[in-house]
Amino acid sequence: MNNGLKWWQNAAIYQVYPRSFQDSNGDGEGDLPGVISRLDYLSRLGVDAIWLSPFYRSPNRDGGYDVSDPRDVDPRFGTLQDAKLLIEAAHERGLKIIVDIVPNHFSTDHPWFQAALAAGPGSSERSRFHFFDGRGANGEIPPNNWNSIFGGPSWTRIEENGKPGQWYLHLFDSTQADLNWENVEVREDFEKTLRFWLDLGVDGFRIDVAHGLAKDEIRKDHHDPDGLTRALRLDVLDMPQEIRAELLSDVPFFDREGVHEIYREWRKIFDSYDGDRMTVAEAWVHPSSRAARYVRNDELHQIFNFDFLIASWDSEFLISAIKRTLEDVSAVNAPPTWVLSNHDSPRLLTRMGGAAKARAMALLTHALPGGIYVYQGEELGLPDGELPDSARQDPVFFRTNGAEKGRDGARVPLPWSKSPGFGFTTGEPWLPISDSWREFTVEVEEGDSQSSLNLYRASLAIRRSHPALAKSSDYRINWLQAAPGLVAFSRSPNFYLFANTTDHVKVVPVPESDLRVLLASGAGGEVKEGQITLPPHTTIWLDQAK
């Protein structure tokens, strides 16, 4: 029984980074036929849907997020027919398909940008992007002092008739020119793209840089552009929370009011299709209450919870983040959404600093109300890949002259088996896979009842079947009194969670006399004489013995 809920409201959604998931033709890069070949693995894992990072035509200077044709498949990933087969094969297994859409920018290889270069200042072709004259006597100073989130300036000056000309805006790499969403042609083209994939049968969209489309203060400098750049990077974890929050409260190019008009128009399109089509926004805004505005009932459906993408294993922070998220989304009657890692952030195990904390964090998250996202390899307990600088491909590494290593460590291909190429490819993987990953292969973990893979399978199965977790429309949780260092709550009916974020064993009274351990992130937890013994860095699920 789903209590009238949409399929996505409590779904477990698995992110596939296609280039690193499964190679089918031996070229060392994952592809869509490779994804099709592993659908049974995803079905057995227990997820409800798959989110695919971009597989569109692209020069691939930023992992496919530099799109040159959003309505076709890049040959490195296969063909449009392969995309159709993937959608059909997933649906046959009861899996939904979510695809990425990248509305903030186009590749500079896109025909529109090439036409803009040829057309000249003041042209309709240039009005699709943000071209401006520079400041200074000869236009040699960029129009503002904004930095690229990848490092370096966010403006590049072009040559016109052999002389320095206008500047164009790119909040990311210089090969990703920001689009001007005040331009009608831009809006119409993306509506065409949405309908193209909806007509092919996709069930939803993940919207890249969803908070970045409206830019109404191009001439506004920022008081600390270098600090802001670091605050906006998910792989920068050493910035104090209070400093990050202060910087994110004043971002001249994100979270402007104009984005909401765009999504209200998009929502009309989604609602015109059957099958409960959905959207999830990548929008990191501050304060978090502003994020809830993106999921009002006439806009988008979900928004990623970025607090959890930068969270440490700390009870005080986690309790505060959970309470804040539930309060924010309840104000607009939307479900919460939780995510622990993705292709832009350090892997969960690396961020947590060890397997025990990573497993405990996952089990805590899987018990929360609403939807969850699992990044490929998270279920294996993978750390970030170890890479020599010579192998790196992320533009962040190059734009910062190596000062920032970038995101390649989270994008190393999956290890399926101990065979050459780790079962990922018969060729040379596009990023090297470390020999230390042989203990993390799917093949090894399937045979180990205590593995991270089997923990995820168990937790996702319980999420689907337990009456307190399965398709619940009640997004409230009941906080239990707990000592510092502990997270404790219940969900109705008869589900209890206790998490110990400390280095010490904790003995905690339990609220019911007949509780049993349903699932634990590690060994050693037990209920005895009305108490539960919690080992360090452990999460335990309890329910009433039957």
Side-chain angles (χ1 to χ4, degrees):
M1 185 175 70
N2 66 10
N3 298 321
L5 295 181
K6 308 297 187 183
W7 67 264
W8 44 269
Q9 289 182 255
N10 287 280
I13 299 174
Y14 187 94
Q15 182 189 355
V16 168
Y17 192 74
R19 196 180 183 196
S20 296
F21 192 65
Q22 179 64 63
D23 175 22
S24 71
N25 59 10
D27 67 357
E29 296 186 277
D31 45 45
L32 297 186
V35 178
I36 294 172
S37 74
R38 296 295 187 181
L39 287 177
D40 288 339
Y41 167 81
L42 297 176
S43 292
R44 188 180 173 203
L45 181 61
V47 297
D48 302 292
I50 303 165
W51 152 32
L52 293 155
S53 289
F55 50 84
Y56 317 117
R57 284 192 177 270
S58 166
N60 197 44
R61 297 187 182 97
D62 180 30
Y65 284 89
D66 49 322
V67 178
S68 58
D69 185 347
R71 297 188 287 273
D72 198 6
V73 174
D74 194 280
R76 75 175 62 234
F77 296 120
T79 65
L80 192 56
Q81 181 61 25
D82 291 325
K84 295 177 182 177
L85 291 173
L86 172 55
I87 295 168
E88 293 170 0
H91 287 168
E92 288 171 0
R93 292 163 173 80
L95 295 169
K96 305 289 188 180
I97 290 289
I98 298 167
V99 297
D100 240 302
I101 189 168
V102 189
N104 182 71
H105 46 261
F106 273 160
S107 166
T108 53
D109 282 11
H110 191 286
W112 276 10
F113 191 81
Q114 293 301 308
L117 294 180
S123 62
S124 60
E125 289 84 355
R126 288 202 180 177
S127 70
R128 297 164 175 160
F129 301 92
H130 295 283
F131 279 89
F132 283 84
D133 294 331
R135 297 179 291 183
N138 299 302
E140 70 278 9
I141 303 171
N144 62 39
N145 70 347
W146 300 351
N147 283 341
S148 160
I149 294 167
F150 288 171
S154 64
W155 296 91
T156 291
R157 197 175 193 186
I158 64 172
E159 291 285 324
E160 298 183 86
N161 300 318
K163 297 179 180 180
Q166 288 190 308
W167 301 76
Y168 69 90
L169 177 67
H170 52 86
L171 290 179
F172 296 90
D173 190 56
S174 59
T175 63
Q176 295 165 288
D178 279 51
L179 288 159
N180 175 15
W181 273 84
E182 293 183 3
N183 185 290
V184 173
E185 290 181 280
V186 171
R187 297 190 180 218
E188 291 176 346
D189 189 71
F190 270 88
E191 289 183 6
K192 183 177 180 180
T193 296
L194 292 173
R195 293 186 184 279
F196 178 87
W197 292 106
L198 289 167
D199 290 341
L200 252 62
V202 304
D203 301 285
F205 297 91
R206 179 264 190 183
I207 304 172
D208 187 61
V209 197
H211 54 323
L213 309 192
K215 299 176 178 70
D216 53 14
E217 294 185 308
I218 293 287
R219 296 293 187 180
K220 180 180 178 180
D221 282 343
H222 191 271
H223 69 277
D224 185 2
D226 294 336
L228 180 60
T229 300
R230 287 181 55 78
L232 289 166
R233 290 276 305 285
L234 290 175
D235 54 341
V236 174
L237 301 176
D238 60 353
M239 177 175 284
Q241 291 292 339
E242 60 275 11
I243 295 177
R244 190 189 295 269
E246 189 277 327
L247 288 165
L248 293 180
S249 68
D250 179 26
V251 185
F253 44 79
F254 282 161
D255 194 33
R256 317 308 297 180
E257 287 301 313
V259 298
H260 299 287
E261 175 201 344
I262 295 166
Y263 296 136
R264 281 190 286 270
E265 292 302 312
W266 284 18
R267 181 61 178 263
K268 295 174 185 176
I269 296 174
F270 305 135
D271 288 348
S272 72
Y273 284 78
D274 60 11
D276 297 331
R277 312 300 174 97
M278 60 81 72
T279 52
V280 57
E282 182 206 30
W284 193 10
V285 299
H286 187 84
S288 61
S289 57
R290 290 187 65 85
R293 300 163 79 240
Y294 289 78
V295 288
R296 290 176 289 199
N297 62 12
D298 63 344
E299 294 191 39
L300 304 177
H301 302 84
Q302 293 182 334
I303 185 167
F304 288 130
N305 183 333
F306 281 94
D307 279 348
F308 267 47
L309 272 171
I310 62 171
S312 58
W313 180 237
D314 174 82
S315 63
E316 184 177 355
F317 178 88
L318 293 170
I319 291 170
S320 174
I322 294 168
K323 288 181 175 179
R324 183 169 57 248
T325 296
L326 295 178
E327 180 180 349
D328 289 343
V329 296
S330 69
V332 293
N333 197 32
T337 305
W338 314 93
V339 57
L340 295 173
S341 60
N342 64 25
H343 64 288
D344 284 332
S345 67
R347 284 197 170 275
L348 178 62
L349 185 140
T350 296
R351 178 161 58 86
M352 291 292 103
K357 293 179 182 179
R359 290 165 63 102
M361 182 70 164
L363 211 56
L364 169 62
T365 305
H366 294 182
L368 294 173
I372 62 169
Y373 282 75
V374 177
Y375 177 50
Q376 66 176 44
E378 182 186 312
E379 77 278 14
L380 301 176
L382 290 178
D384 280 359
E386 299 174 5
L387 299 170
D389 286 352
S390 59
R392 298 188 183 278
Q393 299 191 26
D394 190 345
V396 171
F397 176 76
F398 299 102
R399 289 185 63 85
T400 62
N401 296 315
E404 301 283 353
K405 296 302 183 183
R407 302 157 294 171
D408 290 321
R411 301 176 177 185
V412 174
L414 287 191
W416 294 96
S417 69
K418 290 186 175 182
S419 63
F422 285 84
F424 164 72
T425 183
T426 57
E428 186 75 19
W430 72 278
L431 286 175
I433 307 174
S434 171
D435 282 344
S436 65
W437 277 23
R438 295 192 183 279
E439 65 182 280
F440 295 106
T441 67
V442 173
E443 179 182 63
V444 167
E445 294 202 18
E446 282 189 323
D448 178 2
S449 63
Q450 303 304 309
S451 69
S452 178
L453 174 59
N454 282 313
L455 177 69
Y456 270 66
R457 283 176 173 168
S459 68
L460 294 175
I462 294 170
R463 277 186 97 252
R464 282 187 163 193
S465 62
H466 196 285
L469 307 181
K471 307 302 180 187
S472 173
S473 59
D474 186 356
Y475 298 123
R476 297 171 299 174
I477 59 179
N478 176 39
W479 293 98
L480 305 176
Q481 187 172 359
L486 298 180
V487 179
F489 62 78
S490 67
R491 293 185 63 190
S492 179
N494 304 323
F495 177 90
Y496 298 85
L497 177 142
F498 294 87
N500 179 5
T501 68
T502 76
D503 296 325
H504 309 288
V505 174
K506 298 285 187 179
V507 179
V508 184
V510 295
E512 304 286 347
S513 60
D514 57 346
L515 294 181
R516 57 159 185 167
V517 175
L518 187 60
L519 189 61
S521 65
E526 61 177 341
V527 178
K528 189 175 182 180
E529 298 179 353
Q531 296 180 320
I532 183 168
T533 301
L534 289 172
H537 310 302
T538 299
T539 297
I540 293 180
W541 292 0
L542 305 173
D543 73 353
Q544 288 184 313
K546 297 178 181 177

